[in-house]
Amino acid sequence: MPEVAGRIADAFEARVREREEASLSHLAVRSYETRGRAHAETSCRLRTPFQRDRDRIVHTKTFRRLMHKTQVFVAPEGDHYRTRLTHTLETTGISRGVARALQLNEDLVEAIGLGHDLGHPPFGHAGEEALDAVLRERCGLHFRHNEHSLRVVDVLERDGRGLNLTEEVRDGILNHTGLDEPFTLEGRIVRLVDRVAYINHDIDDAVRAGVLSEAELPAEEIAILGATGSRRIDALVHDLVETSAEAGDIRQSPEVGEAMLSLRKFMFERVYLGPTAAYAGSRPQGVVRAIFDHIMEGGTSVQDATDYVAGMTDRFALAFAAEL
């Protein structure tokens, strides 16, 4: 579609370049110095490349389905529990705040944050473990939601054409978890803040659901990080910003970093995957296995079956399984 010429559009790129040189850290990615896209395309005259990536992500069907995917609780009886979508928004908001404080590229952080969990299957961590287990047992393969998030934006969206995102956003999505770190500081912010966000809001949801009580939270870690979710996030963000500014990289202080990892381990043992996990009543592992086996019996390829199951919302998966 041809763009209408105009005074603002004509000067937009030059103004962004000038503003970024004046306000961003020398460590920040410049919006018009991206490593590019797999397929060259005409630039938008009123959006930076990273703003364009953000818009492409937000307008996908996959992004909209996040509102019906579990963060922790499957079909909870209450309106105030987090979903994969609200987690995505919280992660992105905190990440932008950190990026602004460190004078890094907020648009890049926003695009990565909004896209990082697009590949998450239904039923949260338990659903990911179930899909990974069935693929290992049946096919000798594995499933990682970060890898599938990249597949969503590269291959599955727009009827198989993908979104043709910039390399910086693709890298941030792929490496928001796993062994490798993103090559940009902006991607590393999202990688760390993802944990900051889900640990704290999942504690809130677990207490609301009665899976945990405040008294059961590990005392030493709570003493370091704070007694409430907002205080913990504030402490984690301030530590992250100050330590990163001094290091010239995205880092936490040893004390705060160790306390956060310990609290994360506690949440996996007690809330996500343990014997009294929040998922126990819904048995998502059995649902995922039953659906995958049923689809494979119909002659579907392993990749297509994986794409189909991973793309399901919780309610669609439960309804599908109920009809088997």
Side-chain angles (χ1 to χ4, degrees), residues 277-297:
Y279 301 110
S282 61
R283 303 191 181 280
Q285 295 88 346
V287 171
V288 169
R289 286 175 175 273
I291 294 173
F292 188 88
D293 288 344
H294 174 76
I295 295 171
M296 289 293 293
E297 288 170 3

Side-chain angles (χ1 to χ4, degrees), residues 11-30:
F12 181 79
E13 180 178 336
R15 286 193 297 109
V16 170
R17 286 180 179 273
E18 181 179 0
R19 186 177 68 247
E20 289 185 346
E21 285 305 314
S23 63
L24 292 186
S25 162
H26 70 282
L27 300 173
V29 175
R30 270 43 177 180

Side-chain angles (χ1 to χ4, degrees), residues 1-246:
M1 178 182 297
E3 296 194 56
V4 178
R7 179 173 55 85
I8 301 299
D10 290 344
F12 181 79
E13 180 178 336
R15 286 193 297 109
V16 170
R17 286 180 179 273
E18 181 179 0
R19 186 177 68 247
E20 289 185 346
E21 285 305 314
S23 63
L24 292 186
S25 162
H26 70 282
L27 300 173
V29 175
R30 270 43 177 180
S31 294
Y32 288 98
E33 295 175 12
T34 168
R35 297 188 184 186
R37 306 179 188 274
H39 306 288
E41 56 185 48
T42 303
S43 62
C44 176
R45 298 176 66 209
L46 285 175
R47 291 175 297 170
T48 69
F50 302 137
Q51 287 178 299
R52 202 174 194 183
D53 285 357
R54 173 205 63 200
D55 292 345
R56 289 179 179 179
I57 290 167
V58 169
H59 287 286
T60 61
K61 294 177 181 177
T62 307
F63 185 81
R64 293 195 293 274
R65 289 199 300 271
L66 295 179
M67 69 184 294
H68 296 299
K69 289 196 175 191
T70 294
Q71 177 58 27
V72 175
F73 295 93
V74 179
E77 295 182 4
D79 297 332
H80 301 138
Y81 291 91
R82 270 75 169 194
T83 65
R84 189 62 53 180
L85 179 59
T86 60
H87 162 70
T88 293
L89 296 176
E90 290 184 37
T91 297
T92 302
I94 298 170
S95 295
R96 284 202 63 146
V98 172
R100 181 173 297 184
L102 293 173
Q103 297 177 282
L104 298 175
N105 195 311
E106 293 181 52
D107 291 336
L108 174 54
V109 162
E110 183 178 35
I112 296 169
L114 292 172
H116 81 281
D117 266 357
L118 290 176
H120 228 296
F123 310 128
H125 297 288
E128 180 172 13
E129 281 216 341
L131 188 51
D132 180 59
V134 74
L135 281 168
R136 289 181 184 277
E137 293 168 12
R138 308 284 196 275
C139 318
L141 301 173
H142 71 271
F143 181 87
R144 296 289 182 271
H145 79 269
N146 56 310
E147 296 173 2
H148 196 69
S149 293
L150 187 64
R151 177 170 169 79
V152 167
V153 299
D154 277 356
V155 178
L156 298 180
E157 273 295 338
R158 297 206 296 196
D159 300 320
R161 292 179 290 125
L163 303 182
N164 196 32
L165 302 181
T166 58
E167 186 60 28
E168 289 81 0
V169 174
R170 294 180 65 254
D171 168 76
I173 289 172
L174 175 62
N175 294 313
H176 80 270
T177 188
L179 297 178
D180 297 327
E181 287 199 344
F183 62 74
T184 67
L185 297 187
E186 289 83 355
R188 294 176 199 172
I189 287 175
V190 176
R191 178 183 170 96
L192 207 157
V193 169
D194 180 36
R195 295 182 177 186
V196 171
Y198 74 67
I199 291 169
N200 285 288
H201 63 52
D202 291 351
I203 289 174
D204 184 43
D205 281 354
V207 171
R208 176 179 289 109
V211 173
L212 286 178
S213 68
E214 296 280 359
E216 293 177 288
L217 296 174
E220 184 177 347
E221 289 76 6
I222 295 303
I224 293 171
L225 300 178
T228 66
S230 60
R231 288 180 180 176
R232 287 190 291 271
I233 291 173
D234 192 59
L236 286 162
V237 167
H238 275 80
D239 176 80
L240 172 59
V241 167
E242 298 296 343
T243 306
S244 298
E246 185 174 341

